[in-house]
Amino acid sequence: MFSLNRRAAGAIAATTAMLTLAACGGGAGQDNSAADGGEGTTPVTLMLNWYPYGEHAPLYLGVKEGIFAKHGIDLTIDPGQGSTRTAQAVGGKQVDFGWSDTAAVLSNIDQGVDIKSVGVFLQTTPSAVQVFADSGIEEPADLAGRTIAVSAGDAPTTTFPMYLADVGLEPGAVQEQNLDSAGKMAALMAGRVDGLIGFAHDQGPTIANKSGREMRYFRYSDAGLNFYSNGLITHNSTIADNPELVQSMLDAVSESYESAKNDPEAAAKAMVGVDPQTPPEQVLLQQWQETIPLLNTPATTGKVPGTNAEQDWTSTIATLSEAGLLQSAKDPAEYWASSFVPATAGQ
């Protein structure tokens, strides 16, 4: 079986050598701002990567508990329609901040979108092959000869060949059917495919709730394949012109995620009814509980949410470059504003 650690180490070394030589409109969403009217606060818009689901519960909890207001922010949260659209909306200054998948952020930066990450929160990828527990697919080897629904161009699909290599399967051993997010779930529940690739903390609990069947996950990270996922982004001009706002936003998001870790039930309850497409409360709770283990890597264990490590950025860039999602492996500084660190990091 091809070792990811050996591959990643080689890619990181190549990246280091290269660098040595070179010396994803605020008005459209629901108003989720603090109930006190936000006197003395700055109005801020945040566009999500998708319609609200459990991963976003801390943001709504932070508004409800006054965490954002405490940091001087009157926050409005807008739903998104994919990380790429969110990244481009931030790049076009349609919103102040975005919540977007790192692969989409880096790809858009490569294409000239004027944004940067100010902190990745989902630091262990939620990417997974998802199957019904009663499907007879007990381990990754059982995927051979099966049909899996994918979404061409997204990070889980583009890195799928790397996952297959790491579990000892050739890419051709698994048939792929290209569908959008909703189509993948519908196809699995209708029995037209044997599984799907996506975010286990999002789609899996939703499918289980709708089908009444237990899900099984083959997580990329369990095979040693990891890369950054969703986090906070903003326009480079905001970083340059209003660094105090960026720092306050990062601090508020970090504190909100820490609060939600400590009280998952309150976090899920804070989301109920925020959007017509929001899942039921019990699904939101499960989605958030599935998110909590994704908030750190070994390099950031014990740190507050949103604390990033340069070695994780380097590894992510190397992996996404090998997968073909990036034009080339660049220094993390091209993508990440490392001067912003959550205020309580390291405490």
Side-chain angles (χ1 to χ4, degrees), residues 122-139:
L122 270 66
Q123 298 175 12
T124 296
T125 179
S127 301
V129 182
Q130 306 174 47
V131 301
F132 285 120
D134 59 7
S135 65
I137 304 174
E138 304 287 339
E139 57 185 23

Side-chain angles (χ1 to χ4, degrees), residues 242-324:
N242 202 345
E244 296 85 1
L245 176 63
V246 176
Q247 185 64 58
S248 294
M249 184 67 174
L250 179 60
D251 290 344
V253 174
S254 179
E255 185 175 338
S256 296
Y257 269 73
E258 188 67 25
S259 180
K261 283 174 59 181
N262 295 331
D263 194 346
E265 290 79 10
K269 192 174 294 294
M271 283 199 73
V272 174
V274 300
D275 186 275
Q277 300 199 51
T278 302
E281 184 175 347
Q282 70 271 19
V283 177
L284 292 169
L285 177 59
Q286 185 180 356
Q287 289 176 329
W288 169 236
Q289 290 172 326
E290 292 279 356
T291 303
I292 293 173
L294 308 177
L295 298 179
N296 297 99
T297 67
T300 58
T301 298
K303 306 291 186 181
V304 297
T307 306
N308 288 187
E310 185 165 2
Q311 67 198 70
D312 290 333
W313 269 101
T314 303
S315 177
T316 292
I317 292 165
T319 298
L320 297 181
S321 293
E322 182 181 345

Side-chain angles (χ1 to χ4, degrees), residues 117-190:
S117 170
V118 294
V120 175
F121 281 74
L122 270 66
Q123 298 175 12
T124 296
T125 179
S127 301
V129 182
Q130 306 174 47
V131 301
F132 285 120
D134 59 7
S135 65
I137 304 174
E138 304 287 339
E139 57 185 23
D142 296 333
L143 294 171
R146 304 284 188 155
T147 300
I148 302 298
V150 304
S151 294
D154 68 8
T157 300
T158 308
T159 54
F160 185 47
M162 300 168 72
Y163 169 77
L164 291 177
D166 286 338
V167 298
L169 290 173
E170 296 293 330
V174 179
Q175 301 299 312
E176 298 180 18
Q177 184 172 338
N178 185 33
L179 298 165
D180 63 18
S181 180
K184 289 190 296 188
M185 291 193 291
L188 178 57
M189 288 187 285

Side-chain angles (χ1 to χ4, degrees), residues 82-119:
S83 288
T84 291
R85 290 192 182 185
T86 297
Q88 292 172 354
V90 174
K93 297 186 178 181
Q94 299 168 24
V95 292
D96 302 307
F97 292 89
W99 192 260
S100 189
D101 185 53
T102 298
V105 173
L106 271 55
S107 177
N108 275 272
I109 291 173
D110 274 358
Q111 296 171 38
V113 179
D114 200 14
I115 56 175
K116 270 196 175 73
S117 170
V118 294

Side-chain angles (χ1 to χ4, degrees), residues 228-246:
Y228 272 168
S229 186
N230 293 339
L232 189 66
I233 62 172
T234 194
H235 198 279
N236 279 317
S237 65
T238 305
I239 292 171
D241 300 338
N242 202 345
E244 296 85 1
L245 176 63
V246 176

